[in-house]
Amino acid sequence: MKVLYVLKRYPRLSETFVVRELATLEELGTEVLVDSLMAPEDGPRHAEVEQVRASARYLPRHRGWVRPAVRVGLRRPRAVVREVRRARVRWLSGDRSARRRLAHGLLVAERVLAERPDVLHAHFATAAAEVATVASRVTGVPVTVTAHAKDVFHAENVDALGGRLEGVAAVVTVSEYNVDHLGRSLPGQRIRLVRNGVPLGRPNLVHAGRRDAPVLCVCRLVPKKGVDVLVRAVALAAVDDPWLRLDVIGDGPLRTSLVDLAAELGVADRVTFHGAMDSAGVEAAYARASLVALPCRVDEHGDRDGLPTVLVEALARGVPVVSTDVVGIPELVRDGATGRLVPQDDPEALARAIADLRSDPVAARALGAAGRELVATDYAPDRSGRELLGLWAEVAR
């Protein structure tokens, strides 16, 4: 099996699941090609990127596409004319990205014709999916797309979802909640559940559940992660817990306002914002954490998490977790069995759950151990990789 991945930006610090997926597929004997619409992010990079043998090709954003487009047009003239007309209609209707998506799609199509992959695959049902579907229509090679969260639920994407996935052979998604939602949104479309594979990490046997170890939160600092709720919960729980500290790893547009909130609530000395870290830094944070808290919410634009990878990573290390009962999270965090769940936007309930776990380290570790067992079966990278390969074998026939 040979697969050409189309990604908006590769690698990306917040998308470790993509890197793991590529590495797993290569371990299973798949030849992986990568086309990225944008250059990699500046800043830290996960060491796992070096485990992926495939090197990314970065597509030009300007006139570098003209000659490849002509070459593809000579081989697939009718298909290219159809795509030009389609892009023109979109452009005239106000979609100023239509020409760039066409150009990138033709560049990908040229590579498909030259290297003959069995299938195209894109992560996120936005720009990467649009480019991959252009290449698929031009070449006839089937395309699949993994849809995650913002690309499905955010208000700016909801109405465009059907058009972006038109002609896709199958849509992959990461939770049963998403499968149900997409099944209703895209009637007749093949939807397949493939969970983000996460390998088991070294178990946290020393600090899990202990009151002298920090609470950890790892996420982008955006509204749907609910970090403001977590800061408020820390302020409430700190009244009875002099040891309580919160480490926040990640960056984003809300960082300044969250720092200000911690100061306003009088817990600036208890909440540390570390910024973005590579996987080694995050691994060290898991090893010293008492628990991981991520109070996700559905934000005002409808955006939400499909199933946050950080919760899977924490349980893969036996670190107890507290989260909210929204979207696909209860599929992983089963309240009282593999973690604790509270309602969204409820700092009082979150504070109680954190206090409960930190006051009973034996029970906290039992939850972490049960979660680790669940991850070992349902989220094993080999299992996810083989499920993808099975799907691609079906659509490539």
Side-chain angles (χ1 to χ4, degrees), residues 10-11 19 23 26 45-54 279:
Y10 175 84
V19 176
E26 289 183 335
R45 180 177 296 190
H46 296 307
E48 289 88 342
V49 174
E50 304 306 320
Q51 298 173 10
V52 178
R53 294 190 297 274
S279 55

Side-chain angles (χ1 to χ4, degrees), residues 58-79:
Y58 295 98
L59 304 186
R61 295 181 61 81
H62 300 293
R63 301 294 293 177
W65 61 271
V66 176
R67 289 183 180 178
V70 171
R71 291 193 292 268
V72 173
L74 292 174
R75 298 183 63 180
R76 295 286 193 277
R78 293 181 180 178

Side-chain angles (χ1 to χ4, degrees), residues 186-272:
L186 305 169
Q189 177 60 269
R190 183 188 308 194
I191 313 292
R192 187 66 57 86
L193 171 64
V194 179
R195 300 192 184 277
N196 287 334
V198 173
L200 293 182
R202 179 175 296 178
N204 180 340
L205 301 176
V206 176
H207 297 104
R210 286 175 48 166
R211 298 190 74 177
D212 59 348
V215 173
L216 175 63
C217 179
V218 184
C219 66
R220 292 183 63 241
L221 302 183
V222 294
K224 68 178 179 180
K225 301 297 185 178
V227 182
D228 58 312
V229 180
L230 179 55
V231 173
R232 294 183 185 280
V234 167
L236 292 170
V239 174
D240 299 315
D241 187 350
W243 292 96
L244 182 59
R245 300 289 187 275
L246 172 64
D247 286 339
V248 180
I249 294 176
D251 216 334
L254 297 185
R255 180 168 181 171
T256 299
S257 64
L258 291 168
V259 170
D260 291 344
L261 177 63
E264 176 188 330
L265 296 174
V267 290
D269 60 334
R270 292 176 179 257
V271 181
T272 303

Side-chain angles (χ1 to χ4, degrees), residues 233 236-237 322 340 342-343 346-359:
L236 292 170
V322 180
R340 290 293 306 274
V342 300
D346 191 337
E348 292 84 5
L350 181 60
R352 288 194 298 271
I354 290 172
D356 288 348
L357 288 178
R358 286 168 58 82
S359 65

Side-chain angles (χ1 to χ4, degrees), residues 279-294:
S279 55
V282 175
E283 190 68 41
Y286 283 132
R288 63 176 179 262
S290 171
L291 60 94
V292 166
L294 190 65

